């Protein structure tokens, strides 16, 4: 089997990510490296480091979403070098948060870093946060002092 190109891996990534919003972390887990330096910083707080922590955080995130539907990805930029690549996007989706009465729309600002391992692109870092809209300096200062 020929290893997929980075573009093909991004296509696979775009199919896997919406599964989290449907309560299924499996497809995203398949994309991750299993090495101890992997990290995940998601909207639910903190940074997970190492496969065991990342896997637990993916499971937790998937329990927070229900009835998810991906609306699209706005790719801001991507870069590929010999053994590393990154992707900067805004992800748009609808989902119902656990305990919420109705489906809401979300936009996440996401940076994903990939590394080539044994010829295959593996996800080694994902940072997603809800700050997809520009914020004023004043609101940032208030957040920093809170």
């Amino acid at each position: 089997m020929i290893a997929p190109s980075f573009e093909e891996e991004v296509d696979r990534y775009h199919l896997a990510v919406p599964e989290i919003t449907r309560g299924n972390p499996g497809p995203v887990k398949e994309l991750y490296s299993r090495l101890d330096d992997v990290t995940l910083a998601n909207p639910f707080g903190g940074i997970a480091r190492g496969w065991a922590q990342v896997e637990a955080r993916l499971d937790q995130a998937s329990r927070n979403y229900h009835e998810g539907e991906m609306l699209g990805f706005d790719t801001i930029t991507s870069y590929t070098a010999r053994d590393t690549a990154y992707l900067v996007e805004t992800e748009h989706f609808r989902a119902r948060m656990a305990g919420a009465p109705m489906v809401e729309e979300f936009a996440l600002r996401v940076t994903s870093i990939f590394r080539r391992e044994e010829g295959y692109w593996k996800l080694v870092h994902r940072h997603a946060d809800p700050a997809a809209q520009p914020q004023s300096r004043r609101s940032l200062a208030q957040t920093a002092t809170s």
Side-chain angles (χ1 to χ4, degrees):
M1 181 175 158
I2 297 174
S5 68
F6 180 65
E7 292 76 18
E8 290 170 320
E9 195 61 26
V10 169
D11 290 343
R12 187 172 163 222
Y13 178 71
H14 284 165
L15 293 173
V17 167
E19 289 299 314
I20 290 279
T21 70
R22 297 178 192 118
N24 178 14
V28 172
K29 288 180 182 183
E30 289 176 16
L31 301 175
Y32 257 96
S33 169
R34 297 304 195 261
L35 298 179
D36 288 337
D37 64 346
V38 298
T39 52
L40 172 64
N42 67 18
F44 302 106
I47 298 174
R49 185 170 196 277
W51 174 242
Q53 287 183 13
V54 167
E55 182 178 36
R57 187 67 57 83
L58 289 168
D59 290 339
Q60 173 203 18
S62 70
R63 288 190 298 270
N64 285 311
Y65 293 116
H66 305 280
E67 304 168 37
E69 174 190 6
M70 186 54 65
L71 301 175
F73 297 88
D74 293 332
T75 300
I76 310 306
T77 192
S78 66
Y79 175 80
T80 309
R82 183 169 177 238
D83 292 322
T84 22
Y86 68 81
L87 183 63
V88 178
E89 299 182 301
T90 303
E91 297 174 358
H92 302 274
F93 62 96
R94 286 187 194 108
R96 185 174 58 81
M97 294 294 292
M102 56 197 299
V103 170
E104 299 176 58
E105 285 195 16
F106 297 89
L108 297 179
R109 178 178 54 188
V110 181
T111 301
S112 303
I113 301 173
F114 297 80
R115 173 176 56 218
R116 197 184 304 263
E117 293 179 3
E118 298 179 13
Y120 292 87
W121 289 104
K122 292 298 197 173
L123 186 60
V124 294
H125 173 74
R126 177 177 158 89
H127 177 209
D129 66 47
Q133 299 298 322
Q135 297 182 20
S136 70
R137 286 181 28 205
R138 183 181 188 137
S139 70
L140 290 173
Q142 289 171 345
T143 301
T145 59
S146 298

